[in-house]
């Protein structure tokens, strides 16, 4: 999985006064959990732009002033209710031998026959919560909808992998196609295609037999 570097400074004081001063200076107070003890640090608010305001999933490399580099995932973030400024961020430190839970985006691939026939595509789960070792975390989970017809559903159980565990019930719908007022039955389309293929095959056979008849005469 791709990572983004967050350059931070370790915090000596964690009281309300120092926290307010950090925010006034355009800094975000953060805490890194998962190690021997919580690590309190701060970073520029702009440093979180590509980590927070994106549909993609990234790990973070926390780089402190003393040269320490720690890999982590963002666990929680708090925004100001009025200004939407970032108030606080919690991280969880990654270790290669310890599984971690993370929300991974879902990407659709292909064109749905049901949608082409007027059906309505319902993207139920744009992100899936998974548990995996850090090195096995995917950038995204691909869902092929090229065979998804009207009334069809792609559940979690069709996306299972040996690399990670999906933390949703197997029957959870990820994407489905519902009928709409303008939709047509794509099963009929299939039958028409088959009938067309049969007609074409008959025509080809007739064409192939004509020379033989002429040769007999």
């Amino acid at each position: 999985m791709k990572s983004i570097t967050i350059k931070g400074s370790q915090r000596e004081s964690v009281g309300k006064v120092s926290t307010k001063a950090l925010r006034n200076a355009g800094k975000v107070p953060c805490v890194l959990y998962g190690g021997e003890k919580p690590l309190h640090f701060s970073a520029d608010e702009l440093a979180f732009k590509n980590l927070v305001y994106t549909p993609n999933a990234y790990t973070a490399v926390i780089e402190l002033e003393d040269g320490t580099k720690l890999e982590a995932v963002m666990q929680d973030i708090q925004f100001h209710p009025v200004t939407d400024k970032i108030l606080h961020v919690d991280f969880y430190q990654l270790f290669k031998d310890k599984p971690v839970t993370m929300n991974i985006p879902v990407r659709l691939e292909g064109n749905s026959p049901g949608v082409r026939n007027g059906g309505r595509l319902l993207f139920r789960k744009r992100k899936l919560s998974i548990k995996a070792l850090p090195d096995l975390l995917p950038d995204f989970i691909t869902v092929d909808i090229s065979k998804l017809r009207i009334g069809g559903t792609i559940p979690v159980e069709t996306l299972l992998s040996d690399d990670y565990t999906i933390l949703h019930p197997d029957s959870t719908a990820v994407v489905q196609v519902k009928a709409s007022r303008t939709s047509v039955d794509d099963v009929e389309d299939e039958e028409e295609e088959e009938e067309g293929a049969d007609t074409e095959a008959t025509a080809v056979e007739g064409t192939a037999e004509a020379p033989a008849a002429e040769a007999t005469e």
Side-chain angles (χ1 to χ4, degrees):
M1 176 177 285
K2 297 177 182 178
S3 62
I4 291 177
T5 300
I6 304 292
K7 294 185 178 182
S9 302
Q10 194 163 348
R11 298 167 59 194
E12 300 296 335
S13 177
V14 295
K16 291 184 177 180
V17 175
S18 62
T19 298
K20 184 177 181 180
L22 284 172
R23 290 172 179 156
N24 289 338
K27 305 282 187 179
V28 176
C30 308
V31 182
L32 176 65
Y33 296 99
E36 294 182 1
K37 60 180 181 179
L39 173 65
H40 296 265
F41 68 97
S42 64
D44 291 335
E45 186 175 4
L46 292 176
F48 295 92
K49 179 180 178 181
N50 295 327
L51 182 64
V52 176
Y53 306 106
T54 175
N56 302 320
Y58 296 101
T59 58
V61 176
I62 310 300
E63 184 176 331
L64 302 178
E65 291 180 331
D66 62 0
T68 301
K69 293 183 179 180
L70 302 170
E71 191 173 8
V73 291
M74 186 173 65
Q75 289 287 289
D76 188 38
I77 184 168
Q78 298 175 16
F79 295 93
H80 190 282
V82 178
T83 64
D84 279 339
K85 289 178 66 68
I86 300 175
L87 297 179
H88 183 87
V89 180
D90 285 338
F91 289 93
Y92 187 83
Q93 187 172 351
L94 296 179
F95 298 93
K96 291 187 178 297
D97 59 344
K98 291 184 179 181
V100 63
T101 299
M102 192 170 182
N103 291 326
I104 303 298
V106 175
R107 290 189 180 180
L108 304 184
E109 181 179 76
N111 295 311
S112 165
V115 173
R116 291 201 303 270
N117 283 279
R120 188 160 51 99
L121 184 71
L122 302 177
F123 200 169
R124 300 293 191 184
K125 286 289 183 181
R126 295 181 180 272
K127 287 189 177 184
L128 291 174
S129 180
I130 73 167
K131 187 175 184 180
L133 293 172
D135 288 344
L136 296 179
L137 286 170
D139 292 322
F140 52 85
I141 297 175
T142 301
V143 177
D144 184 4
I145 62 172
S146 61
K147 296 182 180 179
L148 187 60
R149 301 189 175 279
I150 293 175
T153 299
I154 296 179
V156 162
E157 63 184 348
T158 64
L159 307 175
L160 303 182
S161 171
D162 294 334
D163 291 340
Y164 50 79
T165 300
I166 301 179
L167 304 179
H168 299 273
D170 287 353
S171 60
T172 301
V174 178
V175 61
Q176 56 188 162
V177 174
K178 292 286 189 180
S180 65
R181 292 182 178 179
T182 59
S183 63
V184 295
D185 192 349
D186 49 4
V187 175
E188 292 180 359
D189 289 351
E190 280 187 339
E191 294 175 351
E192 289 176 1
E193 289 175 2
E194 290 176 358
E195 290 176 0
D198 292 340
T199 302
E200 184 178 349
T202 302
V204 170
E205 289 175 2
T207 303
E209 291 173 357
E214 292 175 0
T216 301
E217 293 178 357

